[in-house]
């Protein structure tokens, strides 16, 4: 692995290869060798904009394996609202790979997503609030508004939060 990390700069060049399979394998390879996040993150974030959904999904799944910053958490939340079902699935997998998991430090990312027009993004924001603990209570107003939603699943997520922060 340590020898492989030195070739990461060459591997990320393959993210622009015309072949879908080469791009996916290159992204997977970077996830396996786990070079320094700062060196490959810009290339991975660029790959999340690829026109091929499978490439985009692989990048979304891989980024949290290499590092964690606010941009990564934002990407995962926002990917939950993608119309292609492969992308939210990749984002959910990405959430499981976050080290540490979503926590109180992510409240600035979670808060705005409680008002997102996308139900999947809101659901993930509510689900994240439940896991955070008492610090999530600063969004009690947004949780209360979630109880007025027409989407029953969204109401259930808001109810879980309401039970977590009864005051």
């Amino acid at each position: 692995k340590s020898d492989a990390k030195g070739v990461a700069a060459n591997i990320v060049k393959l993210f622009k290869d015309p072949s879908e399979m080469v791009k996916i394998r290159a992204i997977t390879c970077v996830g396996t060798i786990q070079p320094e996040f700062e060196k490959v993150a810009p290339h991975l974030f660029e790959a999340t904009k690829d026109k091929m959904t499978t490439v985009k999904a692989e990048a979304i799944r891989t980024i949290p394996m290499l590092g964690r910053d606010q941009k990564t958490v934002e990407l995962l939340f926002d990917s939950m609202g993608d119309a292609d079902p492969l992308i939210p699935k990749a984002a959910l997998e990405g959430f499981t790979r976050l080290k540490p998991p979503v926590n109180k430090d992510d409240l600035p990312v979670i808060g705005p997503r409680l008002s997102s027009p996308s139900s999947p993004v809101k659901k993930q924001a509510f689900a994240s609030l439940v896991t955070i603990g008492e610090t999530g209570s600063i969004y009690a107003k947004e949780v209360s508004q979630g109880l007025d939603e027409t989407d029953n699943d969204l109401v259930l997520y808001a109810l879980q939060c309401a039970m977590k922060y009864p005051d």
Side-chain angles (χ1 to χ4, degrees):
K1 249 186 181 178
S2 61
D3 291 341
K5 288 180 183 184
V7 299
N10 291 332
I11 295 170
V12 297
K13 291 176 186 174
L14 296 172
F15 292 4
K16 297 206 181 283
D17 193 273
S19 166
E20 176 181 20
M21 206 50 165
V22 169
K23 290 178 185 181
I24 292 169
R25 294 280 188 214
I27 292 167
T28 303
C29 183
V30 166
T32 301
I33 63 175
Q34 298 188 344
E36 291 179 40
F37 182 69
E38 295 77 24
K39 291 183 179 179
V40 295
H43 304 284
L44 283 166
F45 278 104
E46 186 62 32
T48 67
K49 299 172 188 165
D50 198 279
K51 63 183 178 194
M52 294 180 226
T53 304
T54 53
V55 173
K56 184 177 178 178
E58 189 61 28
I60 291 167
R61 266 192 292 277
T62 302
I63 291 170
M65 294 172 63
L66 303 176
R68 184 190 201 294
D69 60 4
Q70 184 171 339
K71 188 175 175 184
T72 300
V73 178
E74 288 172 352
L75 171 72
L76 294 175
F77 272 106
D78 295 341
S79 296
M80 293 299 299
D82 199 284
D84 188 309
L86 191 59
I87 301 303
K89 184 178 178 184
L92 279 174
E93 191 173 338
F95 274 112
T96 66
R97 293 176 170 182
L98 274 178
K99 302 288 184 263
V102 175
N103 59 56
K104 64 181 171 106
D105 296 334
D106 299 314
L107 284 172
V109 175
I110 296 168
R113 278 137 186 102
L114 293 168
S115 302
S116 171
S118 167
S119 285
V121 172
K122 273 187 189 178
K123 287 176 189 174
Q124 187 63 40
F126 280 127
S128 295
L129 267 186
V130 168
T131 64
I132 289 175
E134 279 301 309
T135 55
S137 64
I138 63 169
Y139 291 110
K141 177 182 169 196
E142 288 82 353
V143 169
S144 173
Q145 291 169 342
L147 298 173
D148 295 330
E149 292 285 342
T150 56
D151 179 339
N152 284 339
D153 283 343
L154 200 48
V155 171
L156 289 173
Y157 280 87
L159 278 169
Q160 284 180 309
C161 284
M163 289 188 301
K164 187 79 171 184
Y165 319 118
D167 294 336

